[in-house]
């Protein structure tokens, strides 16, 4: 701590740490560590794409990063702040954050294959293939069989889409529930020990142990590639017929003959070459719907994140809510996210909406929040006791409202993207999805900060947030065609497989 010379540290004292010959503010030090971890995380998710897309190694990648992350967090327990090795906390934090991001990418890559292997999807697929095969044996003049087959294929695609969103939503809900439970458990030592550094180390160590324990179900139950011509999703590869494409061959069977020459380092180098290919204009034209969705995701992910940070700042600086209330809001929001993640798929089934339509509806519902905040400029509301986000009670209600939307939004965003990525390259494309999310995170807070500095009133930022959420809507409705995007992704994957086969 630094203060006036010869005096005890006062309220204006700063906490600094010494790195080599430099003294660095502890708050700045944590930001530097976080920034470094985000940069390394981006490099890691790009490098791991090819390895995680290799069927026998996807599960291994997930477990390896989970082990590294959980061990790094757990090692905070014995690392005292007075230890000469305290600087190792920076490395542990970087390892934990990088491992978490990489684990999420590997976990997301399982989403398409888990949906395809769902029993009801397997049955619908076999029925569609059977009807399609029968229609080819009918006379040329018969159209009833072909129409029935096309209807069955459409039903299969719709069921696959709904199953993807259901699995994604359940995953989001379980994740939120686990996060809230761990937060409550961690609050016990922090409260009892009055926020001491040991209590904080204990809370971080608990998160590492929690991470390790709940990785065990993934180790036990998630499928791991075995190679060979096994039966997959209830349909053998040679029986796939006209429905056979890269989407219909599971990760269990899609093992190339060149596996004996496969190596981790070769795949890492290949991942960087593939990234360059993926971002080449000619390749982007082949997957226009996928990249249009990524453009919308760039704005939407930043918009939702910025709403969260702006709302907290608004509650603190304008509504003057105490820190305890802000902590409770931070707990209520994900709790509402659980409800929203489970409720929206039910509403989707009832209304017969596609995943894309549900996603657009969620964005429009979320846009109501900044629009409501803009109403605070209406003269007759300024002196009122309610309306336009002018009272603390409204912030509590909006925390519940936003949470119920945000959880479902995360679920449907990755579900729609799952339908637009080339089969067999899930980890690589979810890595790009993650990077798009991270790279956009600076824009919204920067603009909000500039608006607040220029006007002296953070409420003006609500206008920016409202339009930031609305801009991607025309992209999603006018430029993203999920059905065509799915077909383009399948053709893209088939072309890559054919090119790889011809080069061997």
């Amino acid at each position: 701590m630094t203060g006036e010379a010869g005096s005890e540290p006062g309220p204006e004292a700063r906490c600094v740490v010494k790195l080599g010959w430099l003294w660095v503010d502890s708050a700045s030090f944590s930001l530097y560590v976080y920034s470094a971890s985000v940069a390394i995380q981006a490099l890691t998710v790009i490098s791991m794409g090819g390895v995680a897309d290799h069927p026998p190694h996807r599960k291994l990648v997930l477990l390896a990063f989970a082990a590294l992350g959980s061990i790094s967090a757990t090692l905070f327990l014995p690392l005292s702040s007075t230890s000469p090795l305290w600087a190792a906390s920076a490395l542990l934090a970087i390892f934990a954050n990088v491992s978490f991001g990489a684990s999420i990418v590997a976990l997301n890559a399982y989403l398409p294959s888990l949906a395809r292997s769902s029993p009801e999807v397997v049955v619908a697929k076999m029925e569609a293939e059977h009807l399609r095969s029968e229609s080819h044996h009918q006379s040329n003049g018969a159209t009833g069989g072909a129409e029935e087959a096309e209807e069955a294929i459409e039903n299969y695609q719709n069921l696959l889409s709904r199953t993807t969103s259901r699995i994604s939503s359940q995953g989001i809900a379980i994740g939120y529930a686990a996060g809230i439970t761990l937060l409550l458990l961690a609050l016990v030592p922090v409260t009892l020990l009055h926020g001491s550094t040991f209590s904080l180390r204990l809370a971080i160590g608990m998160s590492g142990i929690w991470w390790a324990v709940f990785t065990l179900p993934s180790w036990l139950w998630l499928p791991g590639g075995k190679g060979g011509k096994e039966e997959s999703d209830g349909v053998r590869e040679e029986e796939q017929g006209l429905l056979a494409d890269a989407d219909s061959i599971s990760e269990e069977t899609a093992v190339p003959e060149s596996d004996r020459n496969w190596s981790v380092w070769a795949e890492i180098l290949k991942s960087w070459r593939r990234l360059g290919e993926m971002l080449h204009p000619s390749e982007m034209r082949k997957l226009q719907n996928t990249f249009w969705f990524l453009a919308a995701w760039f704005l939407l992910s930043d918009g939702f994140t910025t709403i969260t940070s702006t709302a907290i700042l608004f509650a603190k600086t304008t509504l003057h809510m105490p820190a305890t209330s802000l902590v409770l809001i931070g707990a209520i929001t994900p709790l509402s996210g659980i409800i929203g993640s489970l409720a929206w798929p039910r509403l989707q089934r009832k209304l017969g909406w596609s995943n894309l339509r549900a996603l657009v509806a969620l964005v429009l519902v979320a846009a109501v929040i900044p629009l409501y905040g803009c109403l605070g400029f209406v003269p007759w509301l300024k002196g009122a006791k309610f309306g336009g986000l002018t009272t603390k009670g409204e912030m509590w209600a909006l925390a519940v409202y936003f949470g119920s939307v945000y959880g479902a939004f995360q679920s449907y965003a990755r579900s729609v993207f799952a339908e637009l990525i080339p089969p067999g390259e899930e980890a690589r494309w979810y890595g790009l999805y993650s990077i798009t999310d991270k790279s956009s995170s600076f824009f919204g807070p920067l603009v909000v900060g500039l608006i607040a500095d220029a006007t002296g009133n953070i409420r003006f930022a609500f206008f920016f947030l409202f339009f930031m959420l609305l801009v991607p809507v025309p992209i999603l409705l006018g430029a993203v065609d999920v059905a065509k995007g799915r077909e383009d992704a399948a053709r893209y994957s088939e072309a890559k497989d054919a090119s790889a086969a011809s080069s061997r």
Side-chain angles (χ1 to χ4, degrees):
M1 299 285 287
T2 63
E4 293 295 330
S7 65
E8 291 295 321
E12 302 301 322
R14 291 191 307 140
C15 180
V16 295
V17 295
K18 189 175 184 180
L19 294 176
W21 62 91
L22 293 175
W23 289 94
V24 182
D25 186 280
S26 59
S28 299
F29 177 68
S30 63
L31 292 174
Y32 296 150
V33 171
Y34 177 74
S35 297
S37 70
V38 171
I40 297 172
Q41 186 183 112
L43 298 176
T44 302
V45 297
I46 294 172
S47 301
M48 63 171 273
V51 181
D53 280 330
H54 191 241
H57 294 88
R58 174 172 295 174
K59 186 174 181 178
L60 182 61
V61 168
L62 173 62
L63 296 178
F65 279 113
L68 176 61
S70 60
I71 292 172
S72 298
T74 305
L75 286 177
F76 272 86
L77 280 172
L79 189 61
S80 170
S81 58
T82 59
S83 168
L85 299 177
W86 69 267
S89 62
L91 290 177
L92 294 178
I94 289 173
F95 288 152
N97 195 38
V98 169
S99 297
F100 177 73
S103 297
I104 292 299
V105 170
L107 199 62
N108 284 343
Y110 269 102
L111 180 58
S113 61
L114 289 176
R116 290 194 296 266
S117 61
S118 181
E120 63 271 23
V121 174
V122 172
V123 171
K125 183 176 185 177
M126 294 179 68
E127 180 181 356
E129 176 60 25
H130 174 69
L131 292 174
R132 190 68 177 267
S133 178
E134 282 191 344
S135 70
H136 285 174
H137 292 86
Q138 293 180 352
S139 60
N140 294 334
T143 60
E147 291 177 356
E148 188 178 359
E150 290 300 324
E151 182 179 351
I153 293 173
E154 183 179 354
N155 289 337
Y156 159 71
Q157 296 291 1
N158 291 336
L159 179 60
L160 177 61
S161 179
R162 292 195 301 271
T163 303
T164 302
S165 64
R166 174 177 58 81
I167 295 174
S168 179
S169 298
Q170 291 173 346
I172 291 291
I174 293 172
Y176 276 157
I180 293 172
T181 303
L182 179 58
L183 176 63
L184 294 175
L185 290 175
L187 280 175
V188 174
V190 172
T191 302
L192 293 178
L193 298 175
H194 307 291
S196 65
T197 54
F198 174 70
S199 70
L200 297 179
R201 283 163 37 214
L202 189 59
I204 297 173
M206 287 173 59
S207 68
I209 295 171
W210 180 281
W211 190 349
V213 169
F214 285 96
T215 297
L216 294 178
S218 299
W219 173 59
L220 292 172
W221 298 326
L222 273 180
K226 301 175 184 177
K229 295 291 184 181
E230 301 177 60
E231 288 202 0
S232 162
D233 298 351
V235 188
R236 289 161 46 111
E237 180 182 349
E238 57 268 25
E239 295 172 351
Q240 300 287 324
L242 291 177
L243 283 182
D245 51 27
D247 175 64
S248 58
I249 302 172
S250 83
E251 58 183 342
E252 298 286 341
T253 64
V255 181
E257 296 178 359
S258 58
D259 268 3
R260 69 192 73 180
N261 300 320
W262 188 92
S263 72
V264 172
W265 293 111
E267 285 299 323
I268 290 175
L269 293 175
K270 183 180 176 182
S271 293
W272 284 93
R273 289 197 300 268
R274 283 288 294 116
L275 178 65
E277 294 173 4
M278 288 161 59
L279 299 179
H280 193 278
S282 62
E283 296 293 293
M284 294 174 71
R285 283 193 292 270
K286 296 176 184 177
L287 296 170
Q288 292 184 36
N289 291 282
T290 306
F291 281 99
W292 274 120
F293 179 83
L294 283 174
W297 170 243
F298 180 90
L299 296 172
L300 288 174
S301 62
D302 191 24
F304 273 79
T305 303
T306 307
I307 284 179
T308 304
S309 58
T310 303
I312 295 297
L313 287 173
F314 183 83
K316 182 179 180 180
T317 60
T318 303
L319 299 181
H320 307 292
M321 298 183 72
T324 52
S325 295
L326 297 181
V327 171
L328 286 174
I329 286 176
I332 289 174
T333 301
L335 184 62
S336 303
I338 298 174
I339 300 172
S341 297
L342 298 176
W344 272 89
R346 294 173 181 264
L347 179 63
Q348 178 195 13
R349 287 195 299 272
K350 185 175 182 179
L351 298 177
W353 286 355
S354 66
N355 286 346
L356 181 62
R357 189 170 183 180
L359 178 63
V360 171
L362 284 163
V363 174
L364 294 176
V365 170
V368 171
I369 296 175
L371 180 62
Y372 184 77
C374 294
L375 295 178
F377 287 106
V378 177
W380 60 270
L381 283 177
K382 289 184 178 180
K385 296 182 178 181
F386 184 83
L389 199 53
T390 55
T391 65
K392 296 177 182 179
E394 292 170 89
M395 181 58 71
W396 292 101
L398 285 179
V400 175
Y401 180 89
F402 178 71
S404 65
V405 174
Y406 191 32
F409 164 76
Q410 290 177 306
S411 168
Y412 279 98
R414 70 177 180 180
S415 297
V416 173
F417 191 65
E419 299 186 69
L420 298 172
I421 57 180
E425 294 189 353
E426 290 85 358
R428 184 173 284 118
W429 284 90
Y430 269 113
L432 186 59
Y433 178 85
S434 175
I435 293 170
T436 303
D437 179 19
K438 293 290 190 297
S439 62
S440 69
S441 59
F442 76 95
F443 178 70
L446 174 63
V447 175
V448 169
L450 293 174
I451 292 173
D453 283 340
T455 63
N457 186 351
I458 196 173
R459 188 184 290 274
F460 282 99
F462 287 132
F463 289 102
F464 163 71
L465 292 173
F466 176 67
F467 287 105
M468 191 176 186
L469 291 182
L470 287 187
V471 167
V473 171
I475 298 176
L476 293 174
L477 291 177
V480 178
D481 184 334
V482 174
K484 187 175 186 306
R486 189 189 300 119
E487 295 173 0
D488 292 342
R491 281 195 296 268
Y492 182 88
S493 183
E494 290 171 354
K496 288 295 178 184
D497 290 343
S499 176
S502 64
S503 64
R504 289 199 294 265

